[in-house]
Structures are given as structure tokens and as C-alpha cells.
Amino acid sequence: MIKITIKDNLLYINDRINEAKTKSGRKDNVELIAVTKTVDVDIIKEAIAAGVTDIGENKVQELEKKIPLLGNSVNYHMIGYLQSNKVKYIINEVKLIHSLDRLSLAKEIDKRAKEHNMVVNTLLQINIAEEETKFGLKSSEVIPFIEEIQKFTNLRIKGLMTIAPFTDDKKLLRNVFKTMVNFKKDITIRKYENVSMDYLSMGMTNDYEIAVEEGANLIRIGTGIFGSRNY
Ligand SMILES: *Cc1c(COP(=O)(O)O)cnc(C)c1O
């Protein structure tokens, strides 16, 4: 039996990304975040040795456990629902918070950022398909939310994030990603003070090729790299 390694998986994914870029005529960069929830530190180290530069976790507790063990060998992304009372534990450890989805959280991030005399980079999470089971702003809430967060001086919105529905319906997935691109365009035109649309964080194991074809430049892959786990 041939053993498929993390390195093989990464090579395969990078090929698929490049193919999707070629197909859509893109020349800009697509960054890969390896989603390491429930993955042991030793396996994460193997992924880092194979070229992974950024990892994503969806629980503060897991980040707190892994950061001391991995140090600055990798960049950290908070990609899951973030409780306001846990912001203080990770605020100066993560490169990007992908899951800004409510004003109370923005307020807490801004407050803690001020304490650290820093500016915190976030992405607005949008629940494009408005699935009950998922977090994120509804489409109609996005612009009013951005207008509200203008008052926060130590928080920046660097782009948008979404989790597409888990489905084989390619047309539906493409529509979700196209809607994100439209949001990006619309928000860019409005030239908000502390908002820039540098990142579109979308695409997971099930749908990253379509996401890249449509314009994703941050993709978050877990299963495709580490195999399936019980989340
Ligand atoms: C788990 C998770 C991923 C990765 O999902 P896979 O299907 O395993 O690639 C991406 N983004 C978020 C927010 C996640 O929670």
C-alpha cells in the first residue's frame, strides 16, 4: 500500500489551486491556511516542514495550547466563532481574525487592542446562504455593520470571509462566491476609513477550486491536508 503523506496532499492541493488560477486567468497570489483543529502538534510540525506557513484554528483553547509549542514557526488565524470573553487570550497572537460577526465582538477587540497599543486585523464573516447552523452577518447587515465599526480606532477590516454550504451543487457554490466578490467590489467603492478589501477568505476542501476560480485569495483547508477527523 502506498502511504499518502501530508506533503503529497499539499502538492496535490497546490496543483489544483494553480489549475484553478490558470482557468480563470488569475496571476495574483492565493494563500493557503492549513486548518489544524484537532490535529496534534507533531503532525502540524510535519505540515510546517512541508511548507505550510499559516494555520487556522476554530477554538481559542486549542490556540492557547498550540501556540507555546509551535512558537513563531507559523502564523495563526482564528477562523471559528469567537466568544467576546476569550478575545483577550489571543488578541496579540493571531495574524487575522476571520470571524468578526457582531458589534459586541468588534467592541471587545477594539478595547483589547487599545490595551496592547496595537491594531487588530479582522475579516467580516458573512453567512451568504443564510444557513441557520452558521455564524456570520446576513447580507443585508453587512453595510450597516461596516458603518457602525467606523468608530473603532484599533480595529481594521481587511476583507471578507464565508463558509459556503456543504453541497455538491457547484452552481450554488459559485453563486455564493460570486456574491462575496460583489460585496468586495461594493465595499471598495465606498472607501471606508478603516476598511480595505485585501482578502477574500473562502474555499474549503469541498469547494476551494471553485472559490479560487471566482477570486478567493485565502483558502482554508483541513480535511484535504490532514484527512478526515471528527470535528
Ligand atoms: C473546519 C474548517 C475549515 C476546513 O474545513 P475542511 O472541509 O476540513 O477543509 C475551514 N474553515 C472553517 C471556518 C472551519 O471551521
Side-chain angles (χ1 to χ4, degrees), residues 44-60:
I44 301 176
K45 283 182 178 163
E46 192 184 328
I48 293 170
V52 162
T53 57
D54 290 71
I55 64 170
E57 288 282 348
N58 67 340
K59 291 203 176 90
V60 168

Side-chain angles (χ1 to χ4, degrees), residues 3-207:
K3 188 171 179 280
I4 306 284
T5 64
I6 287 173
K7 196 171 178 178
D8 295 328
N9 288 339
L10 286 167
L11 283 171
Y12 175 81
I13 291 164
N14 275 320
D15 280 350
R16 299 282 83 70
I17 292 172
N18 285 330
E19 220 162 84
K21 279 174 70 175
T22 306
K23 203 167 158 186
S24 55
R26 287 182 61 183
K27 299 234 177 343
D28 57 326
N29 233 18
V30 175
E31 294 175 40
L32 172 67
I33 298 172
V35 177
T36 50
K37 54 196 188 200
T38 76
V39 175
D40 285 341
V41 168
D42 285 345
I43 309 277
I44 301 176
K45 283 182 178 163
E46 192 184 328
I48 293 170
V52 162
T53 57
D54 290 71
I55 64 170
E57 288 282 348
N58 67 340
K59 291 203 176 90
V60 168
Q61 215 180 330
E62 250 190 280
L63 273 170
E64 282 189 278
K65 203 176 72 187
K66 287 169 182 173
I67 290 173
L69 299 170
L70 294 167
N72 56 14
S73 60
V74 76
N75 297 311
Y76 302 95
H77 296 255
M78 178 61 198
I79 61 171
Y81 180 78
L82 180 55
Q83 284 175 271
S84 296
N85 63 1
K86 294 196 172 155
V87 168
K88 56 178 176 286
Y89 301 122
I90 54 148
I91 185 114
N92 54 346
E93 306 278 7
V94 296
K95 180 175 168 185
L96 196 57
I97 295 170
H98 292 231
S99 45
L100 179 59
D101 62 353
R102 59 199 192 279
L103 273 177
S104 56
L105 178 61
K107 195 175 165 196
E108 177 67 14
I109 291 172
D110 186 58
K111 179 183 144 191
R112 298 292 175 183
K114 282 193 182 101
E115 287 176 8
H116 285 278
N117 204 8
M118 66 186 291
V119 170
V120 171
N121 291 327
T122 67
L123 304 180
L124 260 196
Q125 183 174 353
I126 313 178
N127 185 0
I128 300 281
E130 305 203 355
E131 292 178 282
E132 292 274 349
T133 53
K134 298 217 168 97
F135 294 107
L137 296 171
K138 288 185 193 155
S139 293
S140 61
E141 296 169 335
V142 173
I143 298 298
F145 184 90
I146 293 180
E147 292 186 345
E148 275 291 320
I149 65 99
Q150 295 300 299
K151 62 186 179 216
F152 298 126
T153 52
N154 291 51
L155 176 148
R156 299 281 178 278
I157 293 180
K158 290 285 184 184
L160 309 172
M161 180 272 223
T162 198
I163 302 172
F166 188 75
T167 173
D168 292 334
D169 186 341
K170 296 211 158 70
K171 203 169 150 202
L172 188 155
L173 290 168
R174 207 173 280 286
N175 275 330
V176 166
F177 300 136
K178 279 186 195 299
T179 307
M180 289 284 281
V181 173
N182 285 336
F183 266 118
K184 175 181 162 171
K185 285 182 189 154
D186 183 28
I187 294 164
T188 304
I189 287 167
R190 291 167 189 253
K191 296 193 194 309
Y192 292 108
E193 191 69 21
N194 44 8
V195 178
S196 59
M197 288 289 113
D198 302 339
Y199 291 114
L200 277 182
S201 170
M202 55 192 199
M204 300 164 47
T205 302
N206 181 54
D207 56 22

